[in-house]
Amino acid sequence: MMYKKLCLLCCIILFAAIGNPFTEPRVVRGEENPLKPAEMLIIYNNNPTKEELSGVQSIVEVLTYLQHSVVFASVDECLPVLNNYDSIICYNLTGVTNSFINALADSDKAVFVAGGDMVKAYVDKKGYPITSTEFRDVTASVTYEFSEKRKFNTLTNLDRGYLLKGNFRYTAGMISVAGESSGLYSVYGSFLYTPVTDFNDSLLLASFTDEVAQWLWPYNGKPHTYAQYIVLNEVYPYTNANTLMKVIEYLTDNKLPFIISVMPVYQNGQYPAMERFCEILRYAQAGGGAVIMHAPITLREDKNVDLIWQYLTTATEAYTNYGVYPLGIQVPERFMFTETSREIIRRYSTIFWYKEEGEASVDLSEHFNSIYSDGHNMIGSSIYLDDLLSNQIMVHSTATYIDMNESFDMIKEQLEEKKTSGIPFKNLWEIDNSVYANNLYLHTSGGQVYFNNEKKSLDYIPFAYDKNFDYNKGLFHWIAMDLAGLNEILVVVVIISSVLFTFFIIRARQFNRKKFLYTKEREQKK
């Protein structure tokens, strides 16, 4: 009996130790990844500064132009998911823990470290034969060479970081700090490092674009070469017609494809001034030029997408009524980072992006470059390295924006620089474009334009103008005209009154001087 009780006790202890063998075994699952799948992971500090936010935004924009899906998150958010991404960029990370360094090194991913103070710990953990020199609060001299004939220089401030030296597979550029120098970019295996983080500097942003494209290129040699677009920027109906025609004829004579970015027009689209402006645009279209619509410059906080679509429809009709067909839209880069803005531009297949001054607009809570999923044909803004708008970026499509407020001689000099840049040109008519509006559909195919599925001619035919155009000027217009005339009369009256008042003061002063001063002098002589 005692033996049976002892056996039963042993069985109970055994079942308690190993669990019930007749139930489903317990599976320990890892935490669910809150971040979307993507090719690239950008890691930033847990509490990023405004400058760091701006740097993150610049990196996201560049990678989007390079046609990569990107997730961006803080160190703590990224730690559990490092193995889920093909390539990792660590941007200006400072004070990271050993557990993060160990996890990053163990992930065996392609890693790009830009600035920060973590690079020494990382290369030591990986066992790379690389030595480092620390620096703090210094000004560095940077040189970067895009080709044998195109070398540029700049200065940048560095807070804290390291210069690396070693038997690198590849180095590019040069950075000098307090007598020490190293490659601006250094590659060992799949590891890439640069000590700079200020991507507001044009040269540093251009070199970053060049090098990150090379780092991500999976084949031998250089990445594919993309073309540039010449865009006559922000052209209004009241733009100097002579200068605009000179530029168009220069581009046409030199067989340079070009685009005119026209400003939206909402009212008075039937006026003769608009008709004359569109006649110039028709002439440009007939010569191989293309037209795009500039986004309304007042678009900031308006969340009413339907209202904005109506405005854009009205603006598009103002041009299509005269046979001018905007093939895409030009918007600021901040449109990448809000859902409202992305919704607005989903009606356009071709997007031209331009840089805009101001604080960073990236929304960290999104964690993903959602604009990538919309499938637009995206043309990024060129990065200008001097006053001649020198652009050396050919790893993605770029647009060079020509300021039409400049003199023709300056514009011609800028265009001559484009011809010698070595970057090929592309005509917007060579790609398929589509534009949807509330009551119209515009698309191109094989160099032809179709408006509501009807093929349209691009031949230039001069307009016949109405010499007696009725402007429908009402009572308020004539009151305004009268007030304007009265203002001119008042200005003349004020000027005459001022002159007379000054004259009388001078005469009165002379009279009083003769009356009192000279009389006193005569009395003293007597």
Side-chain angles (χ1 to χ4, degrees), residues 11 79 127 130 182 190 207 225 258 291 317 331 349 351 358 381 426 445 511:
C11 290
L79 186 56
I130 295 172
S182 70
S190 61
S207 62
T225 297
F258 63 95
V291 175
E317 288 178 328
V331 297
S349 65
I351 309 293
S381 176
K426 192 164 187 177
S445 179
F511 175 78

Side-chain angles (χ1 to χ4, degrees), residues 82-83 88 98-111 122 125-126 128:
L82 293 176
N83 286 307
I88 299 172
N98 289 332
S99 59
F100 174 81
I101 296 293
N102 295 336
L104 184 64
D106 294 340
S107 68
D108 200 28
K109 300 292 183 178
V111 174
Y122 177 76
K125 177 64 179 178
K126 295 292 288 186
Y128 294 152

Side-chain angles (χ1 to χ4, degrees), residues 49-89:
T49 64
K50 290 182 179 180
E51 291 75 14
E52 289 171 347
L53 284 178
S54 178
V56 170
Q57 178 169 317
S58 295
I59 296 173
V60 173
E61 290 165 356
V62 168
L63 293 174
T64 301
Y65 295 147
L66 293 173
Q67 304 174 30
H68 293 285
S69 56
V70 181
V71 161
F72 42 94
S74 66
V75 172
D76 289 346
E77 292 170 320
C78 293
L79 186 56
V81 297
L82 293 176
N83 286 307
N84 296 349
Y85 302 93
D86 298 331
S87 304
I88 299 172
I89 297 179

Side-chain angles (χ1 to χ4, degrees), residues 151-415:
K151 181 184 291 187
F152 297 89
N153 304 284
T154 191
L155 297 175
T156 186
N157 295 320
L158 302 174
D159 294 329
R160 182 186 178 188
Y162 294 87
L163 298 183
L164 300 186
K165 291 186 178 181
N167 187 21
F168 294 109
R169 174 173 63 87
Y170 168 82
T171 61
M174 182 68 67
I175 182 168
S176 300
V177 175
E180 295 284 338
S181 62
S182 70
L184 179 61
Y185 288 87
S186 304
V187 178
Y188 187 91
S190 61
F191 167 67
L192 173 62
Y193 174 70
T194 182
V196 300
T197 58
D198 180 14
F199 297 137
N200 289 319
D201 182 284
S202 296
L203 178 58
L204 298 184
L205 180 59
S207 62
F208 169 81
T209 304
D210 222 32
E211 293 302 323
V212 77
Q214 180 71 47
W215 177 60
L216 294 171
W217 185 244
Y219 311 106
N220 293 328
K222 292 186 176 182
H224 288 314
T225 297
Y226 288 80
Q228 61 179 326
Y229 296 83
I230 296 175
V231 181
L232 309 184
N233 197 30
E234 296 186 0
V235 179
Y236 290 84
Y238 54 77
T239 297
N240 188 302
N242 291 330
T243 302
L244 180 59
M245 279 299 298
K246 280 185 179 181
V247 174
I248 291 173
E249 289 176 346
Y250 172 85
L251 290 165
T252 304
D253 292 343
N254 285 270
K255 295 181 172 54
L256 296 175
F258 63 95
I259 298 167
I260 302 176
S261 173
V262 296
M263 301 303 293
V265 175
Y266 308 114
Q267 294 179 336
N268 305 325
Q270 74 281 10
Y271 278 19
M274 181 66 177
E275 192 173 10
R276 292 187 180 94
F277 177 57
C278 287
E279 186 170 19
I280 296 176
L281 299 180
R282 285 290 304 271
Y283 178 80
Q285 281 183 164
V291 175
I292 61 174
M293 182 78 72
H294 192 291
I297 58 177
T298 56
L299 267 182
R300 289 286 177 176
E301 303 299 330
D302 198 331
K303 304 298 183 182
N304 191 334
V305 175
D306 290 333
L307 179 61
I308 297 171
W309 276 344
Q310 182 56 55
Y311 284 148
L312 289 174
T313 298
T314 301
T316 302
E317 288 178 328
Y319 288 99
T320 57
N321 288 341
Y322 291 108
V324 176
Y325 304 104
L327 306 183
I329 192 167
Q330 178 189 357
V331 297
E333 289 176 328
R334 61 182 167 84
F335 271 40
M336 290 187 189
F337 302 107
T338 59
E339 179 55 31
T340 300
S341 301
R342 292 193 295 266
E343 184 69 17
I344 291 169
I345 62 178
R346 283 195 180 107
R347 290 187 168 192
Y348 299 83
S349 65
T350 302
I351 309 293
F352 284 77
W353 303 94
Y354 69 90
K355 298 189 179 300
E356 187 180 51
E357 297 294 331
E359 294 185 357
S361 53
V362 61
D363 183 358
L364 296 182
S365 65
E366 284 199 331
H367 294 300
F368 184 68
N369 62 335
S370 300
I371 192 70
Y372 170 84
S373 303
D374 290 342
H376 297 290
N377 175 37
M378 294 188 285
I379 296 95
S381 176
S382 296
I383 303 172
Y384 308 130
L385 301 176
D386 55 31
D387 293 339
L388 293 179
L389 310 184
S390 297
N391 169 48
Q392 297 299 307
I393 300 303
M394 58 181 72
V395 291
H396 64 73
S397 297
T398 55
T400 296
Y401 296 112
I402 304 296
D403 185 357
M404 292 305 295
N405 292 318
E406 298 280 2
S407 67
F408 174 72
D409 290 337
M410 173 57 75
I411 293 173
K412 182 179 177 181
E413 193 174 0
Q414 292 170 346
L415 293 174

